[in-house]
Amino acid sequence: MSTLEAMTLDRVVDTARYPLAEPESDAVQAVVDRARHELDTVGCTVLPDFIHPAQRDVLRRECAALAPRAHADVETVNVYNIAVDRSLPAGHPGRTSFERGNAFVARDRIPEGALISRLYTHAAFQRFLAHCFRLPRLHELADPLSGLVLNVVEPGKEHPWHFDTNEFTVSMLTQEADAGGIFEYCPNIRSAHDEHFPDVRDVLEGRGERLTRRLTLRPGDLQLFKGRYSLHRVSPVEGDTARHSAIFAYSERPGVIGSVARTRQLFGRVRPEHLAAEGRAVRGDRLLD
């Protein structure tokens, strides 16, 4: 690692707690061991105060300045992100619809010098995340829009119950809402071989307390999450302040680009890379979404 990389990392991350430049240190190994245990057991782990204290206000201000660049389009969705008018049997959870009101700032509208951009591309950060997820390495998405995004949930809006396309997600709250905006999730409610529709339906119909966990997140906390098999949402935001969170998207393999339909749904546009990659996606399971 170059001196410049190390200095940048020290300025962005609280390296006294998380010395990422020393991956073999006892401190880092303890964090990795805890993260692995929590990811294995409940599908989620939070690394509190990951961002250096001197940078937390910078983090908030930079992302707040980016928020107006978000593509906002309230739409009707279901937990599987499939057509809501799709023919499904009575009682199927995919027949329950919600209004998705969160918006996304695409990667090509986030400056390379922004704190979240520097972190997303940093080799030590990627290596650390790979260790936490028990992977040999991670790859930045080749997708020019969805590799790194800012998720914006304005007051009165929510990011309703859904599953992720990727098996794992890395995110960081950058601005708290005045109230609401709570991250709620149902660990391992489904598997690669079983959708467990009755449990999903219970959650959607308000009978899923036994299955649901809630997290209190603070700006600068780093969250690692297995969202492919865990139903999750951000509850409606209340008050006058929007909820902002950065999402760092990586893959186990290089060259990953999102589908045309999903990309247009999230960002309102596609790029030539999406058109060229259409139809080449490889599915790792046979789940509905």
Side-chain angles (χ1 to χ4, degrees):
M1 179 183 298
S2 71
T3 303
L4 180 59
E5 283 182 312
M7 288 176 60
T8 301
L9 193 67
D10 286 343
R11 289 183 59 191
V12 173
V13 177
D14 186 350
T15 52
R17 297 184 64 173
Y18 305 103
L20 304 192
E22 304 167 17
E24 305 302 324
S25 68
D26 290 343
V28 168
Q29 193 56 54
V31 173
V32 169
D33 288 345
R34 178 176 67 84
R36 287 178 172 180
H37 173 72
E38 293 180 349
L39 287 167
D40 288 345
T41 54
V42 295
C44 184
T45 189
V46 176
L47 282 58
D49 299 324
F50 190 80
I51 294 298
H52 194 286
Q55 296 294 329
R56 288 176 201 161
D57 190 54
V58 174
L59 174 73
R60 182 195 61 77
R61 286 189 284 106
E62 284 187 347
C63 291
L66 293 172
R69 304 180 185 181
H71 170 70
D73 182 20
V74 176
E75 61 179 337
T76 302
V77 298
N78 56 31
V79 298
Y80 305 105
N81 285 305
I82 58 175
V84 294
D85 59 352
R86 182 169 172 172
S87 178
L88 295 170
H92 193 291
R95 293 174 67 99
T96 301
S97 61
F98 307 90
E99 280 197 348
R100 184 181 69 80
N102 63 304
F104 292 99
V105 179
R107 183 180 185 182
D108 65 351
R109 292 179 175 170
I110 300 175
E112 291 184 3
L115 189 152
I116 57 175
S117 291
R118 287 185 285 156
L119 193 56
Y120 177 67
T121 59
H122 202 289
F125 181 61
Q126 295 176 10
R127 181 176 60 240
F128 167 73
L129 295 175
H131 289 168
C132 289
F133 285 116
R134 301 180 188 271
L135 297 172
R137 65 170 298 183
L138 292 178
H139 298 271
E140 297 172 30
L141 296 197
D143 193 303
L145 302 185
S146 64
L148 169 68
V149 301
L150 183 71
N151 189 7
V152 177
V153 189
E154 295 286 349
K157 307 296 186 184
E158 65 178 307
H159 193 176
W161 291 110
H162 65 285
F163 292 101
D164 289 342
T165 303
N166 291 346
E167 185 169 342
F168 56 86
T169 306
V170 180
S171 62
M172 177 182 294
L173 190 70
T174 66
Q175 178 173 284
E176 286 183 281
D178 293 331
I182 303 300
F183 183 82
E184 302 179 350
Y185 73 109
C186 306
N188 300 313
I189 197 171
R190 69 176 182 176
S191 70
H193 310 290
D194 191 339
E195 294 274 11
H196 289 283
F197 290 133
D199 284 343
V200 174
R201 185 171 59 247
D202 280 352
V203 173
L204 302 186
E205 296 179 355
R207 300 189 303 272
E209 280 296 315
R210 73 189 189 283
L211 302 166
T212 305
R213 292 172 175 255
R214 294 172 180 82
L215 289 181
T216 300
L217 299 169
R218 297 288 180 254
D221 291 352
L222 185 69
Q223 179 185 6
L224 280 58
F225 179 57
K226 291 186 175 180
R228 182 67 177 145
Y229 307 122
S230 297
L231 187 66
H232 54 289
R233 74 167 184 165
V234 174
S235 67
V237 167
E238 303 168 15
D240 298 321
T241 304
R243 182 189 193 272
H244 299 161
S245 59
I247 301 176
F248 308 88
Y250 301 98
S251 175
E252 296 179 53
R253 64 186 190 278
V256 171
I257 295 178
S259 71
V260 168
R262 183 66 171 149
T263 301
R264 186 171 283 118
Q265 180 188 47
L266 296 179
F267 304 108
R269 58 194 171 100
V270 296
R271 296 256 302 254
E273 294 92 332
H274 299 101
L275 299 174
E278 188 72 351
R280 298 207 307 261
V282 177
R283 293 288 300 273
D285 56 53
R286 295 189 176 183
L287 295 172
L288 189 59
D289 54 335

